[in-house]
Amino acid sequence: KNQVEQSPQSLIILEGKNCTLQCNYTVSPFSNLRWYKQDTGRGPVSLTIMTFSENTKSNGRYTATLDADTKQSSLHITASQLSDSASYICVVSPWKLHSGGYNKLIFGAGTRLAVHP
Amino acid sequence: NAGVTQTPKFQVLKTGQSMTLQCAQDMNHNSMYWYRQDPGMGLRLIYYSASEGTTDKGEVPNGYNVSRLNKREFSLRLESAAPSQTSVYFCASSEAGENEQFFGPGTRLTVL
């Protein structure tokens, strides 16, 4: 069964510190892997998207890495800020044989990050 | 551009009552989606509409109906609400089924 598992479930760090969130998936083959940020009471917003052939993708202080061999991805946040407090969701899109139509997304349950002053 | 908007933001229903969740997007996207988000679980697809005039079931369609009113609007209806439908509902849209999805702010629904 295609699954996306994220760890840790929750994390507390101090402002200015770095952290790394993990995503393990069993989806194979897959088309792309995305990381979303979801602020409390808001909808998810895309941070990065990587195809199966990419190893890393950055968006400001956010850097996502992908190891397709071990089926693992990580999201590294550098110099955390209070505004980074949110849930971070890993999403995998399975490979489609034919183009067009809907491409199902498989969502992880997310990691809830709290950045304290 | 407002992006994806949803109404209402909060709703409390009694078991057996009906309601419609509204969603609209102003990005001229072809595809629209309804998801539910429950604690400890990833978002799950309820229904989607690949293009105007078409709708298809997702992973958890039971107890729901949808209407793609036009290209901009996609509504989700609960005909007879049940406590198991207590959840946060998100609408999303994308240019096409393969493209990035943009999410609305969500509707928090409680069924007593």
Side-chain angles (χ1 to χ4, degrees), chain A residues 46-85:
Chain A
S46 180
L47 288 175
T48 64
I49 177 169
M50 292 180 289
T51 66
F52 62 89
S53 60
E54 294 180 289
N55 299 120
T56 185
K57 185 68 72 78
S58 289
N59 179 359
R61 295 179 297 101
Y62 301 101
T63 299
T65 62
L66 174 62
D67 186 334
D69 291 332
T70 61
K71 296 186 173 60
Q72 293 180 325
S73 177
S74 64
L75 181 69
H76 186 74
I77 304 174
T78 304
S80 61
Q81 300 177 358
L82 298 179
S83 59
D84 292 331
S85 295

